[in-house]
Amino acid sequence: YNCFLFIIYIFLDKNLIQMIILYKILKKGEIALKRTFWFGILLVIFFSISVPVFGQDTVKIGANLEMTGGVAAYGQMINEGVERIREMVGTEVLGKQIEYVLVDNKSDKVEAANATTRLIDKEKVVAIIGPAISGNMLAAGPICEEKKVPQLSATSTNPLVTQGKKYSFRATFIDSYQGLAGAQYAYKDLGAKTAAILSDIAQDYCVALGNFFKDAYEKMGGKVLTVQHCKTGDQDFSAQLTTILNLNPDVIYLPNYYAEIALICRQARDLGYEGKILGGDGSDAPELVDIGGDAVEGFYFTAHGDTQKALTEIGQKYFDAYRAKYNKEPGVFGALAADCYLIILDAIKRANSFDPEKIAVAIEDTKDLEVTTGKITIENGDALKPVVVKQVQGGIAKLLGTIQVE
């Protein structure tokens, strides 16, 4: 009998009133049970009470990622980055184990919104990493605002993602800044006085980046000869490229994702174009070379960072550990995902809380935090950090330098 009461005390210490009532009932003899049934009660108490008690020792961080679909490479790289940094820095914060919950949004806006609802309502996460692309972040944003749970994207760059929001953040620069950097590099460094743009009209990111490039380029004195459009999944770009090549621009700007860029480069080269082609951070995936082959040789693009020359100690450790783990070169998208994880952990520690609202406030207060891609400061949901430019040389994207935006 005493042993029974002791077990009751262990598992119902936070339900003292229930324990006292149960004790009184037992003491008065109001319930008479056989010994075998006592054992059954103990089992019921153990399995029904111990599960939530143990559950209190974990905290969930969600991931809403494009693991399949049109930009699956992004989601897969981001997931690898999170998994790798978790192995490096551990899975415990404020005395609780971190459970990582991944949901595939299938590169679809509706699925991204559904994934957000599931992670918050069902999984009870305190923060979400992802989605990767701007359109999906915009679809998930209103849900995070309503439910007051922060989402932190590794790679989305559309300014609207964070504009006027308290619970949407990013670990990278915004499109307006990148568009200006790309325009400056095209006009001043590449010496291109005329340009043509071919952007994916189905993607918010692509349309926005193309527009920011155009506005900045024309303000510098450059002339945009034409703006052509395509859609995600297109395979034939001959009509748009024929129009562009007939105008003979100094540079073609492709503010798109890697799959379309690779195919456009292949077809442009097949049509005889030998000029310069420039893209944005959507190019920064190994699949660009896998799909484009020799056609993307010499291709320029702006990016978030470089995995060869780490700017921080943890960055170098991450890149080395990634190579050892996966036997391949790390992508910058994975590094940015690692940054997201580090930012969330740092915010939880500074907030000294698992309350999503307090975590969101702490994320916004991030200042000069050393992450894998360098030092990062968050301001109005956006990351303040440099833009780098790379070029495909010998099938590898190599760092050319940093763009000092004027």
Side-chain angles (χ1 to χ4, degrees):
Y1 181 79
N2 289 335
C3 290
F4 174 71
L5 290 179
F6 178 71
I7 293 173
I8 291 292
Y9 177 79
I10 291 175
F11 293 109
L12 293 179
D13 60 337
K14 293 185 179 180
N15 297 285
L16 185 58
I17 295 176
Q18 293 180 15
M19 186 188 74
I20 293 172
I21 293 173
L22 180 59
Y23 175 77
K24 286 183 177 180
I25 292 173
L26 290 172
K27 188 175 181 181
K28 291 179 180 179
E30 295 178 11
I31 297 180
L33 296 171
K34 295 181 180 180
R35 289 184 178 181
T36 53
F37 192 59
W38 282 114
F39 181 72
I41 287 180
L42 291 178
L43 289 178
V44 171
I45 292 172
F46 179 82
F47 287 111
S48 64
I49 302 300
S50 65
V51 171
V53 170
F54 288 132
Q56 294 171 3
D57 292 329
T58 64
V59 60
K60 292 182 179 181
I61 293 177
N64 179 0
L65 298 176
E66 295 78 349
M67 299 300 292
T68 59
V71 291
Y74 295 159
Q76 292 164 13
M77 285 189 291
I78 290 170
N79 185 53
E80 285 181 353
V82 175
E83 294 284 12
R84 180 64 274 186
I85 199 67
R86 277 167 54 81
E87 292 177 6
M88 283 180 55
V89 302
T91 58
E92 184 178 325
V93 61
L94 298 184
K96 291 192 177 186
Q97 285 296 312
I98 301 169
E99 183 179 343
Y100 176 58
V101 184
L102 171 64
V103 178
D104 177 16
N105 64 38
K106 304 175 184 177
S107 302
D108 179 80
K109 295 177 183 178
V110 174
E111 291 288 347
N114 292 339
T116 304
T117 300
R118 173 183 166 184
L119 286 168
I120 296 174
D121 290 348
K122 182 180 179 181
E123 301 296 342
K124 308 298 183 184
V125 301
V126 299
I128 298 172
I129 295 174
I133 64 176
S134 297
N136 291 347
M137 276 289 285
L138 288 168
I143 300 170
C144 290
E145 293 298 307
E146 177 188 350
K147 298 180 182 295
K148 299 181 179 180
V149 175
Q151 62 173 355
L152 176 59
S153 177
T155 51
S156 68
T157 52
N158 189 316
L160 294 176
V161 164
T162 55
Q163 195 172 91
K165 299 183 179 69
K166 291 183 177 180
Y167 296 92
S168 288
F169 304 89
R170 72 181 103 230
T172 185
F173 45 67
I174 60 177
D175 285 333
S176 55
Y177 191 75
Q178 181 181 196
L180 173 58
Q184 180 179 305
Y185 189 78
Y187 189 76
K188 296 186 176 181
D189 294 87
L190 297 182
K193 305 307 177 186
T194 59
I197 300 172
L198 174 49
S199 67
D200 185 343
I201 200 171
Q203 299 292 344
D204 298 314
Y205 154 79
C206 304
V207 174
L209 184 56
N211 289 337
F212 286 125
F213 174 91
K214 180 177 182 295
D215 291 345
Y217 187 75
E218 290 178 335
K219 286 180 180 178
M220 293 175 189
K223 185 177 182 180
V224 175
L225 302 177
T226 184
V227 177
Q228 298 289 309
H229 296 107
C230 61
K231 290 185 178 180
T232 303
D234 284 353
Q235 300 292 310
D236 184 5
F237 307 92
S238 58
Q240 299 97 317
L241 287 171
T242 297
T243 298
I244 289 172
L245 299 190
N246 285 337
L247 296 172
N248 193 31
D250 295 330
V251 65
I252 298 176
Y253 187 62
L254 305 177
N256 305 321
Y257 294 122
Y258 60 90
E260 283 70 34
I261 289 175
L263 293 175
I264 291 170
C265 287
R266 290 178 72 97
Q267 293 178 30
R269 300 308 185 195
D270 288 344
L271 291 171
Y273 181 70
E274 298 180 354
K276 299 178 178 68
I277 306 178
L278 172 67
D281 61 296
S283 317
D284 203 357
E287 286 76 8
L288 175 73
V289 175
D290 294 342
I291 300 170
D294 292 340
V296 296
E297 190 71 16
F299 177 77
Y300 299 90
F301 62 93
T302 48
H304 306 276
D306 183 65
T307 59
Q308 298 296 320
K309 300 177 181 178
L311 301 178
T312 61
E313 182 179 349
I314 192 170
Q316 192 59 57
K317 289 180 179 178
Y318 168 83
F319 297 141
D320 293 342
Y322 187 97
R323 293 184 182 97
K325 175 76 174 182
Y326 298 107
N327 195 31
K328 63 181 180 181
E329 284 300 304
V332 72
F333 279 24
L336 288 166
D339 291 353
C340 289
Y341 188 78
L342 293 172
I343 291 168
I344 291 172
L345 255 62
D346 176 69
I348 291 174
K349 292 175 184 176
R350 285 187 289 105
N352 194 32
S353 172
F354 296 110
D355 181 343
E357 292 187 57
K358 293 181 180 179
I359 293 171
V361 171
I363 292 175
E364 176 62 27
D365 290 339
T366 301
K367 184 176 179 59
D368 291 332
L369 177 66
E370 288 199 357
V371 292
T372 64
T373 59
K375 285 187 176 182
I376 189 169
T377 293
I378 303 294
E379 186 176 288
N380 297 321
D382 299 326
L384 303 181
K385 59 195 307 182
V387 179
V388 304
V389 62
K390 298 181 181 180
Q391 184 183 35
V392 178
Q393 299 177 4
I396 299 174
K398 295 186 177 181
L399 178 68
L400 294 184
T402 300
I403 302 173
Q404 300 298 325
V405 177
E406 299 175 358

